[in-house]
């Protein structure tokens, strides 16, 4: 039988027809515990009643108007996001890649404003910023880039969590205009930098006149235990990107900026046909309301610590376990060998997980996961990893 879909995904042999909270049910009616949430998208779990109600109400009123006109819900969402983040202006789009594209364009605008003919952006090894051509070029994963050359020029790659590498780059390159970095690397294997890393980047950017741009698409929106991952430090970026959990499953992304960066775009500089339409903004507003009313970031911090402790107790004596790391509900379990087969083994046990960087089990469960489900997740995963490492 001819497959009508391009072979862009190596799909597992399961499809889901409904979800509720941390649970999904497949087309055969079998129940699963979801510990990946569409790769950090459904942070509030599946079919949250308040998000569902907001979408149904808005769908009955108005789905879409062009950005040629005023969109009151978009302005309302922009006001709330800038207040929560300390930024000044927002641009709305449909995805994380689009949000990062906007950030890259802001950086280049800044570079040209500084008199740089061919401005370059410092990005990190093992980073992930998207799959459009520019964001793929910014991504620090050669495997994802292979076959798509020539890549977009204007990116300089340095090691993550190494401020000295930026200082050395500043000495030899005079075309740098910005730094783009994930406060916590997700696809790269759930890596949290040293406590002084982001403040050091802020200092270097201030000294050099560079924009500091944080990609919080995976680690933001409460995932790390704060509303934004960089809020574990006292510093502010110049540009900030969000997507994934912003709409809890409804596609929406945002590029936020402050200071000079907030003034760089004018009419015609950038745009998005669907970005920030009334339906997407209604979903995101409902998400923000729930996050604040139920203090979701704090719940993620507490729940994530319980999950990490439970996994540590269950796996501590295994020789093949290298590290359990992470922050809030963003955890990585690094083993001493490739472990992609754990994904299908977990599926057979009614558990949805993901493996990244070949040997890191990545967990991105709902931020409001119950204590009972935390224990259930830990028990199932502990059994799987034990059986995998000690066959």
């Amino acid at each position: 039988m001819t497959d009508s879909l391009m072979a862009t995904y190596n799909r597992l042999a399961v499809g889901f027809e409904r979800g509720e909270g941390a649970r999904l049910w497949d087309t055969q009616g079998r129940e699963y515990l979801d510990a990946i949430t569409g790769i950090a998208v459904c942070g509030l779990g599946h079919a949250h009643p308040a998000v569902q109600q907001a979408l149904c109400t808005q769908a009955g009123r108005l789905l879409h108007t062009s950005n040629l006109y005023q969109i009151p819900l978009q302005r309302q969402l922009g006001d709330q996001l800038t207040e929560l983040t300390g930024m000044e202006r927002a641009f709305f789009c449909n995805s994380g890649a689009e949000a990062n594209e906007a950030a890259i364009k802001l950086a280049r605008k800044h570079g040209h404003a500084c008199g740089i003919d061919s401005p370059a952006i410092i990005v990190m090894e093992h980073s992930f910023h998207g799959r459009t051509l520019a964001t793929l070029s910014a991504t620090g994963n050669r495997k994802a880039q292979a076959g798509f050359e020539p890549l977009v020029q204007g990116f300089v790659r340095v090691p993550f969590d190494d401020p000295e590498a930026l200082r050395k780059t500043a000495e030899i390159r005079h075309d740098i205009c910005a730094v783009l970095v994930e406060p916590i690397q997700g696809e790269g294997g759930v890596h949290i930098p040293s406590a002084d890393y982001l403040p050091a980047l802020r200092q270097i950017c201030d000294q050099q006149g560079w924009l500091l741009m944080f990609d919080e698409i995976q680690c933001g929106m409460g995932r790390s235990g704060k509303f934004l991952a960089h809020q574990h430090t006292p510093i502010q970026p110049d540009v900030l990107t969000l997507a994934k959990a912003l709409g809890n499953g409804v596609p929406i992304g945002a590029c936020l900026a402050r200071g000079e960066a907030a003034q760089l775009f004018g009419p015609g500089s950038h745009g998005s046909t669907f970005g920030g339409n009334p339906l997407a903004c209604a979903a995101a507003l409902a998400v923000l309301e729930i996050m604040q009313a139920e203090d979701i970031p704090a719940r993620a911090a507490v729940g994530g610590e319980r999950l990490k402790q439970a996994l540590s107790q269950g796996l501590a004596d295994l020789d093949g376990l290298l590290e359990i790391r992470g922050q809030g509900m963003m955890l990585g379990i690094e083993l001493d060998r490739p472990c992609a087969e754990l994904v299908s083994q977990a599926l057979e046990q009614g558990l949805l997980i993901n493996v990244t960087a070949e040997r890191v089990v990545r967990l991105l469960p709902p931020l409001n996961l119950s204590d009972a489900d935390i224990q259930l997740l830990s028990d199932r995963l502990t059994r799987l990893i034990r059986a995998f490492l000690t066959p």
Side-chain angles (χ1 to χ4, degrees):
M1 185 174 68
T2 301
D3 194 334
S4 61
L5 304 179
M6 286 192 184
T8 48
Y9 304 101
N10 192 17
R11 300 177 197 266
L12 295 165
V14 64
F16 301 103
E17 64 175 13
R18 70 185 177 93
E20 182 179 338
R23 297 294 196 282
L24 283 169
W25 285 266
D26 69 16
T27 52
Q28 306 302 311
R30 189 181 178 210
E31 181 180 315
Y32 300 81
L33 178 62
D34 187 0
I36 195 67
T37 57
I39 311 183
V41 167
C42 298
L44 302 177
H46 299 281
H48 193 289
V51 178
Q52 181 183 14
Q53 183 60 53
L55 285 168
C56 290
T57 300
Q58 189 57 43
R61 289 176 178 163
L62 184 65
L63 291 178
H64 177 80
T65 62
S66 167
N67 280 294
L68 291 172
Y69 310 105
Q70 301 290 323
I71 301 178
L73 287 177
Q74 187 181 118
R75 185 169 295 278
Q76 187 179 338
L77 180 60
D79 289 346
Q80 290 198 20
L81 277 178
T82 52
E83 182 178 349
L84 282 167
T85 61
M87 306 302 275
E88 294 172 7
R89 286 188 168 181
F91 168 80
F92 290 104
C93 49
N94 306 294
S95 68
E98 272 192 86
N100 280 337
E101 288 270 353
I104 290 166
K105 288 180 70 174
L106 280 176
R108 289 191 170 192
K109 271 275 193 184
H110 168 69
H112 284 286
C114 292
I116 302 172
D117 291 334
S118 298
I121 300 169
I122 293 180
V123 293
M124 306 302 153
E125 294 176 356
H126 307 299
S127 62
F128 185 84
H129 298 295
R131 293 188 184 274
T132 61
L133 200 50
T135 57
L136 182 69
S137 301
T139 290
N141 182 340
R142 182 62 196 139
K143 187 177 177 182
Q145 296 171 336
F148 298 106
E149 298 86 354
L151 300 175
V152 175
Q153 300 299 302
F155 297 102
V156 177
R157 191 156 289 109
V158 301
F160 184 63
D161 199 12
D162 184 357
E164 196 56 35
L166 274 77
R167 294 190 180 97
K168 291 179 179 175
T169 302
E171 291 175 0
I172 60 176
R173 298 281 301 246
H174 302 290
D175 57 350
I176 304 298
C177 63
V179 174
L180 175 61
V181 61
E182 300 159 276
I184 301 175
Q185 285 193 336
E187 297 291 328
V190 189
H191 292 289
I192 299 174
S194 309
D196 58 355
Y197 178 58
L198 297 181
L201 296 190
R202 178 72 275 174
Q203 183 184 45
I204 295 168
C205 286
D206 288 342
Q207 291 170 345
Q208 299 296 330
W210 302 342
L211 295 183
L212 180 59
M213 310 196 298
F214 287 161
D215 176 345
E216 295 245 10
I217 289 161
Q218 186 170 139
C219 61
M221 295 299 299
R223 177 63 57 187
S224 74
K226 298 280 189 182
F227 182 68
L228 298 170
H230 79 264
Q231 290 175 339
H232 292 278
T233 75
I235 64 155
Q236 275 282 84
D238 301 297
V239 179
L240 167 69
T241 55
L242 295 172
K244 288 190 180 289
L246 180 56
N248 209 60
V250 176
I252 182 170
C255 178
L256 309 175
R258 70 182 182 97
E260 180 215 339
Q263 311 299 322
L264 289 167
F265 280 168
S269 295
H270 199 47
S272 172
T273 296
F274 296 101
N277 76 11
L279 188 73
C281 288
L285 283 165
V287 168
L288 293 183
E289 183 176 350
I290 297 159
M291 291 194 73
Q292 293 176 86
E294 300 181 11
D295 202 0
I296 295 294
R299 291 179 65 176
V302 173
E305 190 56 34
R306 284 177 180 155
L307 179 56
K308 189 156 58 172
Q309 287 179 4
L311 290 167
S312 297
Q313 290 170 4
L315 299 171
D317 60 324
L318 289 178
D319 288 338
L321 174 72
L322 296 185
E323 185 179 19
I324 299 175
R325 57 178 178 259
Q327 206 162 25
M329 284 294 190
M330 186 174 185
L331 300 181
I333 305 167
E334 183 167 2
L335 307 184
D336 66 352
R337 66 200 73 172
C339 58
E341 62 195 85
L342 275 173
V343 175
S344 56
Q345 292 176 8
L347 190 70
E348 293 173 3
Q349 301 300 314
L351 177 62
L352 304 184
I353 61 171
N354 171 257
V355 166
T356 189
E358 295 189 346
R359 59 185 193 180
V360 179
V361 176
R362 180 172 48 170
L363 300 178
L364 300 166
L367 306 179
N368 50 4
L369 197 66
S370 69
D371 288 349
D373 281 342
I374 287 172
Q375 192 60 54
L376 182 61
L377 169 57
S378 174
D379 290 345
R380 288 185 181 177
L381 196 55
T382 296
R383 283 198 300 271
L384 278 167
I385 293 176
R386 279 192 165 280
F388 178 73
L389 291 178
T390 56

